[in-house]
Amino acid sequence: MCALILVVAPKALRGSRKCGHWTKIAMGLVVMRTAIIGGGIAGLAAAYELEKARAAGAAVEYTLFEARETLGGSIASEIVNGAVLERGPDSFLTEKPAGIELCRELGLGDQLIPSNDAARKTYILVKNRLVAMPDGLMFLVPTKLIPTAMTRLFSFSTKLKMGMELLHPPRPSSDEDESVAALVERHFGAEAVDRLADPLLSGIYGGDAAQLSARTVLPRLVEMENEFGSLTRGMLAGHSKMKAKAKEAAKKNGAANGNGKAHSAPRSIFTTLRGGMQQLVDAIEAKLNPAWVRMGTPVSAIEKVANGWRVEAAGAKENYDSVIVASPAWAAGVLLSPVDAALGDDLGAIPYSSSITVNLLYDEARLGTLPDGFGFLVPASEGRAMLACTFVHRKFLGRTPAGKAVLRAFLGGMKNEALLTEPDDVLVETVRREFKEILGIEAEPEYTQVSRWRRAMAQYAVGHQARAKRVQERVAGLAGLRLVGNAYDGIGIPDCIRLGRVAARELMEGSKSAGQLVG
C-alpha cells in the first residue's frame, strides 16, 4: 500500500510516484495534501488559506476541483457600458468581518464600497401599490407606535394585534423548533407573515417563511420571546443596550484620540466591490498555484482509505490526507453516501431553492421617475413572478455611469421553480410587463442579462439545527474530512469565507499535532 503523506526531497533523490503522490524516501519535508471539492467562495477561501500557509513555509499542497469552467460559484459580475451587473450576490453584510478582512488581505481594501444607506428605503407591493416599510421596523418587529399606526402596509386589526403584542407573556424555553411563520403569526398575525416575513425572507433565502426554522434563521427573536415575551419589548431593550455600548465605545475612542469627541460614522449595512464581486474571485484565483486548480473537472467519487482519502476525477484516482467538500450539500451527500450512509442521507435532506436574476440597463432619462429608495419586495399573495426588485444604481454609488440606471429583478424561489425552464426572452418580457404594471416603465432597456441558479441556496428548514448537529457528529468520526458552504452555519459570503478558512486551519493544526506538518 502506498503512503498517504508526501516526503519532498531534492529532485535527484525523489523516488517513483505511486497512487498519485510521492512515497516516503530520505530525509525531507512531510507534506499534507488536501483535496478541495468545489470552487465556490467557500472552496476558494479554503484554498487561499492553504496557499497562504504554504507561502509562509508550511508543507502543504492542495488540489481544487471545480466541475464548471469558471471559479466563484454564484459570484459572477459583468461590466456593460460602464455599469457593473451582478449575476449572483451583489454584496455582503458589513457586520460579519470575514468578507472585509479577506478583501483587505487580497489588496482590495481601496475597492470596497459601502451601501448608500442614506437613501435606503424599501417598499412592499400591496394590491399593486408600493407601500413603504414603516420607520422603526427592526427586521420583522415594529418598534415605533406612530409610524406603525399610520402605515398602509397593515390593516387595522393587524395594527391592533401589534399594539397588544407588548403584553405578550414570556414563553417557556423549549428544544422544539418551529417555522418563522408560526413565530411571527403568534405575535403579529397572519397578515404580518404575508406582507412582511415571507417577502423579506424570500428576498434573503429564496425560501418560504412557513418552512424556515425560527431557531436557525431568527435565533435572537426566539431568545427575546423566552426572556421578554413581547418581541417589541425585547427588541427595544436590545436596541438600548447596543446604543449604550456604542456610546461608551465612542467615548473611549475619543479619549484615546485625545480629542474628547465621542462620535463615529455608522457602518453601512452592505459592502461591495467597485468593479463587482467578481474582483474577489479573481483576486483569490491569482494567489493560487494554477497547476493545483482543476476547472472543468467534476469529482465522481471519494473513498476513505487506511491513512486518508482517495478522490476520483476525470478517470484518475489520487490519494490525499484530507478532503474539504465545498460543494452543495445535495452533491456532498451523493459523494459521501458510500462512505457514511447516514451522513449522506442528512446532507441530501437539506432543501435548496433556485433563483433567477434579471438585470436591465436603462437610459435614466427615458425611464421616468422611480420611487425613492433601494427597491421593493413582492409578497406571494400578489400573484407576481417577481420576488423583488433592486434599484442597483441607488444602492451602490459609483458602479453605474451618470445618466444610466440598473434595475435588478429576482424570480423563482421555493414557490416558483418552474420559471427556470422559461427561455430568456420570456423571462425578460415577464419582468418588463410587471415593471410597467408596478412602476409604469415602458422604456426599452439598452441591455438585459438573465442568470439562473439551480439549487444554489440552502434552506434552513425546521429542524435544521438538529440535522446540522448530526452532520457535525458524523463528520467528526471521519478523520481528515471537513464540510463547508452555505448549508451549515450561515448563507452569506462572509459565512462561507469563514467556514472555508477555518476548515483549512483545522486540518493544518491537526497535521501539526500528528507531527505530519512542518512550518
Side-chain angles (χ1 to χ4, degrees), residues 121-134:
K121 189 175 184 180
T122 303
Y123 299 84
I124 307 290
L125 187 67
V126 178
K127 298 178 181 178
N128 210 44
R129 295 179 65 184
L130 293 177
V131 179
M133 291 174 60

Side-chain angles (χ1 to χ4, degrees), residues 472-489:
Q472 187 177 30
E473 289 171 350
R474 304 300 296 190
V475 169
L478 295 168
L481 175 66
R482 293 294 185 276
L483 301 179
V484 299
N486 69 13
Y488 311 106
D489 186 32

